[in-house]
Amino acid sequence: MSEKGPFYTIGQVAEYFDLPQSVLRYWETVFDALSPMKSPGGSRRYSDRDLKIISEIKQLLYQRGFTIKGANKLLNQKYHIQQTPAESKKETVKKKEPISKATVKETNNKKNRQILNQVIRELKEIVNTLENDVVS
């Protein structure tokens, strides 16, 4: 399992493991041990080591019923990846702050006022048009 050995494209790897390419891309974001190289053009290049890790991930998730978090922890131990939870790939995904109900209500009220003001302006224009037509 040499890093200097052959490299495989994401299409080849997806076909070999009977997985969608999107699953491989996702696993790359959540499993610390999985880090395929990228070519100068940005294409992923999977090594024999990456294939071994993908095989282990697939077995842990699909056959042994591990959660992603549990499988990641096990693989980190196996491959001696020392990271705090905040450093793991999954934790680096920016989490959105929850929006309070008051903020949602205030935003909705502003939007509703804008819509009502627009309707009032349009109704006034209609009234003016009708008055002008009656006078003429």
Side-chain angles (χ1 to χ4, degrees), residues 29-75:
T29 67
V30 294
F31 288 101
D32 302 315
L34 184 60
S35 295
M37 294 176 55
K38 298 248 177 126
S39 72
S43 300
R44 288 167 175 80
R45 296 290 178 226
Y46 292 87
S47 67
D48 287 335
R49 179 182 186 271
D50 294 321
L51 297 183
K52 181 180 177 191
I53 292 168
I54 291 168
S55 176
E56 291 177 273
I57 292 170
K58 187 174 179 182
Q59 181 189 31
L60 289 170
L61 296 180
Y62 297 168
Q63 276 90 40
R64 295 183 59 195
F66 274 67
T67 63
I68 288 175
K69 185 176 179 178
N72 191 36
K73 184 177 178 180
L74 186 73
L75 290 171

Side-chain angles (χ1 to χ4, degrees), residues 31-33 72 76 80-90:
F31 288 101
D32 302 315
N72 191 36
N76 284 351
H80 307 291
I81 298 171
Q82 298 293 323
Q83 292 186 322
T84 62
E87 292 175 323
S88 74
K89 288 182 180 181
K90 186 66 173 173

